[in-house]
Amino acid sequence: MTDMSIPSATPMQCSNPRSFAPNRRLRQRKAHMSRLQRPKGFGGVIALLVAALLLASCANSSPSKTSHSVASGGVASYALGAGDQFSWILPLENEANYENYNSNVSNGLYRPLYYVGGAGTTGINYPLSIGTAPIYSNGDKTVTIKLRHNYTWSDGQPVTTKDIKFFFQLEAAGAKNGDYAPYLPGRMPTDITSVSYQGSYQFTLHLNHAYNPVWFTGNQLTWIYPLPVQSWDKTCLTCRVGNVASTPSGATKVIDFLYKESGQLSTYATNPLWKNVDGPWELTGYNPTTYHAVFRANPHYTGAGKPKLAGYQIYSFTSATAELDALRSGVVDFGYLPTSDLQLSNYFKTHGYSIKPWKVFYDNIAELGYTGPYRQLVDQLYLRQALQHLVNEPLYLKTTLHGFGMLDYGSAPIYAGSNYVSPQLHHDPYPYSVAAARKLLTSHGWRLSASGPSTCVNPGTGSNQCGAGIKKGAPLTISMMYATPSASLAAQAQAFATAAHAAGITIKLNPQLQSTMYSTAGVCPPGPCNWGIALYGAQEDFGQYVLVPTAGVEFAKGNYWGGGYYNPTEQHLLNAAYDLPGLSRLYQVENYQSKQVAGLWWTVGDYAIAVVNKHLTGWNPLNPYANYMPSRWSLNG
């Protein structure tokens, strides 16, 4: 292998924060992350950790430019969004590191059984997957999977069912201990009664009941990663590899050891655990202070999608200003342009850069407080419909996002070409109309006021009355939290409040840090329960673990991040989407959630406005799950 002579990482330059480039997804917003399970002062702890990370990466020096000609194929680089850092290498994510910018890197080192997304396409990318298409039988209670024979580990051993078995052993231990981030009660591995192995390249899952193959393949099988049992089945670095994980207690010790090592950032480039990979890349350099990571093409890679580059690098930045400086100076080939700096578009275009909006298959939901002090109001379908009529998505897209986004009328956005989006979701069931909102209120017992909130004058549960629990004379006032410091989100929240005022609804805006919202939104009690609408402004993701967008995490019975929403009809449709075959069941639940306004559907901002050096090719079309896919890249010139 040719020596790439990649320079050591240098600290990133710090400056005052600005609008971040990509909207970060909210993988942490999971149903089982209830405030009851969080340590006291969770929001404050998160804030302190973030502050410590930012301070640790500040320095006066600027990143050095890497030559494109260090080796055949060249070395490209990309920037993560401001504040994001690749900081978890193990493809079994814990809660603190459950982010796409970690999993997208790790699945270049450790290939998942099923790779998701491609060049502008949603769904499973079978050509890049270790597993062939699963075969369902026995009334969809049995799933048989064959492994491709052309994948090997760096040590020359083939990727086989023994590596699949090792994954299931560790996953079961992680799910039981609450360490494994993707796990939700009732899901993998608890929905599998047993696994049988038919030699080295085939295994069969026996399920606890029939599941929809579309849902189970997309939202369960995508969790599986073959793991190098010959390197990892031990409990310390100097321990001999054995058959430790074959017992539940042993598997717990092994996953605890691997989690501990994955948290040791200072050893990423030297730890032998991370040297045995089956993916197209291997990690060769890492700076635990700046999070600068260096990868080279794996010379032992035998699978599909071999890299064209000799290597690539990842840079992290504490602000959008620092990222833009690195982009202008040529340190990174692939970066971002914040919407607040769109005036720089002509500069980059005239200096040989391409600018492309990165549309991702995420959605954006304003959570409603079904268990808090405003529950009597948001429980009313007519009021939710009125509120949805006041969300002016086309205006937000045009003026606050400058066209960089998608309309979103349900639990999946209008992503072109995706068969996971119901045809009905391409049309707004409640288009912006103050008049329509006013009509809904007056026809349900509210007296409008020109100077303040409407008041209930006809209490009761009849079709023309205010609804259960709403007393006569009650004001129509709702508190709304929204995340700072995004200027575009603040403008959307203000526009929404202004439209609501015109309709007779008083929206009390309450800007909060997103970390604070994590600790105060969700289900009440515990408190403080002083909100009725919570707008995070960052998308809920679909991808490696949740490919099929049923919104079950948000709106299934017992949910936390749906504000406690529960509707028996919706739950029945949701169960059918899980259990009965076909996409039609998915469409039914999407359509029902949309019409019921389970949450307020909100415009989805693009993940980023990508700014890409003219020498870099193969990056477009972009992956809808925010995966850079550097194996597709080439450098010219």
Side-chain angles (χ1 to χ4, degrees), residues 200-414:
S200 297
Y201 294 98
Q202 180 174 302
F203 66 100
T204 300
L205 305 179
H206 306 277
L207 311 182
N208 58 1
H209 67 262
Y211 288 96
N212 180 357
V214 172
W215 178 83
F216 195 85
T217 301
N219 288 19
Q220 297 290 264
L221 297 184
T222 50
W223 296 19
I224 301 173
Y225 282 79
L227 302 176
V229 61
Q230 73 275 19
S231 302
W232 289 5
D233 194 3
K234 57 183 182 179
T235 57
C236 71
L237 282 175
T238 57
C239 295
R240 178 178 295 182
V241 172
N243 198 26
V244 184
S246 61
T247 66
S249 61
T252 297
K253 293 176 182 178
V254 172
I255 196 171
D256 286 348
F257 161 63
L258 293 173
Y259 270 27
K260 178 183 176 182
E261 292 303 310
S262 190
Q264 301 297 317
L265 306 188
S266 61
T267 67
Y268 269 16
T270 57
N271 193 326
L273 286 173
W274 318 131
K275 299 300 183 183
N276 199 17
V277 299
D278 65 344
W281 303 103
E282 57 185 17
L283 181 68
T284 60
Y286 186 83
N287 187 315
T289 301
T290 65
Y291 309 100
H292 175 211
V294 180
F295 302 84
R296 70 177 178 184
N298 177 8
H300 308 289
Y301 182 59
T302 56
K306 290 181 173 60
K308 301 176 179 66
L309 296 170
Y312 77 95
Q313 303 185 61
I314 301 173
Y315 286 96
S316 294
F317 301 90
T318 57
S319 72
T321 301
E323 182 267 326
L324 278 175
D325 290 343
L327 190 61
R328 272 188 291 243
S329 65
V331 171
V332 294
D333 300 294
F334 187 114
Y336 316 103
L337 185 64
T339 54
S340 57
D341 290 302
L342 286 177
Q343 71 277 5
L344 295 176
S345 296
N346 287 335
Y347 167 85
F348 282 109
K349 289 177 181 178
T350 57
H351 284 75
Y353 290 81
S354 299
I355 296 179
K356 178 79 173 180
W358 194 344
K359 298 191 178 301
V360 286
F361 193 47
Y362 297 171
D363 75 340
N364 196 9
I365 302 169
E367 184 180 349
L368 296 171
Y370 293 96
T371 58
Y374 299 95
R375 60 185 178 276
Q376 288 87 0
L377 294 175
V378 299
D379 270 344
Q380 312 306 320
L381 174 59
Y382 75 85
L383 182 57
R384 300 198 302 273
Q385 292 170 331
L387 291 170
Q388 190 65 61
H389 272 302
L390 302 172
V391 180
N392 195 342
E393 289 201 44
L395 177 69
Y396 303 164
L397 179 59
K398 179 180 179 181
T399 60
T400 69
L401 297 173
H402 308 282
F404 295 105
M406 289 182 290
L407 301 175
D408 186 2
Y409 302 135
S411 53
I414 307 174

Side-chain angles (χ1 to χ4, degrees), residues 8-226:
S8 60
T10 54
M12 298 295 96
Q13 183 178 7
C14 288
S15 55
N16 291 330
R18 302 171 71 176
S19 300
F20 56 85
N23 288 318
R24 297 181 63 187
R25 68 182 179 172
L26 301 182
R27 273 191 156 183
Q28 298 95 331
R29 294 181 56 203
K30 296 173 54 188
H32 69 294
M33 271 191 67
S34 74
R35 213 172 302 116
L36 293 171
Q37 293 172 297
R38 294 174 177 162
K40 188 175 181 180
F42 179 87
V45 170
I46 290 295
L48 289 172
L49 287 174
V50 170
L53 286 172
L54 294 180
L55 287 172
S57 61
C58 287
N60 293 325
S61 58
S62 298
S64 58
K65 180 178 174 61
T66 299
S67 171
H68 288 161
S69 58
V70 292
S72 175
V75 178
S77 58
Y78 69 76
L80 291 178
D84 294 345
Q85 308 97 12
F86 165 57
S87 56
W88 189 257
I89 195 170
L90 183 70
L92 295 170
E93 294 169 303
N94 65 0
E95 292 285 3
N97 296 280
Y98 192 33
E99 299 286 356
N100 68 319
Y101 46 81
N102 286 320
S103 62
N104 287 343
V105 175
S106 66
N107 69 27
L109 304 172
Y110 307 98
R111 265 291 187 253
L113 179 67
Y114 291 114
Y115 193 99
V116 303
T121 59
T122 60
I124 292 177
N125 190 330
Y126 284 107
L128 294 183
S129 297
I130 294 177
T132 61
I135 298 172
Y136 286 79
S137 60
N138 188 28
D140 295 331
K141 293 186 290 186
T142 303
V143 189
T144 300
I145 298 168
K146 293 182 179 180
L147 306 183
R148 301 185 194 277
H149 290 227
N150 60 322
Y151 280 84
T152 61
W153 298 102
S154 301
D155 62 7
Q157 293 198 33
V159 176
T160 67
T161 51
K162 62 182 174 56
D163 305 306
I164 298 291
K165 184 176 183 179
F166 184 53
F167 165 83
F168 282 121
Q169 290 168 340
L170 297 189
E171 184 196 39
K176 182 178 180 180
N177 294 344
D179 297 328
Y180 181 52
Y183 175 70
L184 291 171
R187 299 304 173 216
M188 186 183 289
T190 52
D191 52 12
I192 300 173
T193 58
S194 65
V195 184
S196 57
Y197 300 90
Q198 299 83 46
S200 297
Y201 294 98
Q202 180 174 302
F203 66 100
T204 300
L205 305 179
H206 306 277
L207 311 182
N208 58 1
H209 67 262
Y211 288 96
N212 180 357
V214 172
W215 178 83
F216 195 85
T217 301
N219 288 19
Q220 297 290 264
L221 297 184
T222 50
W223 296 19
I224 301 173
Y225 282 79

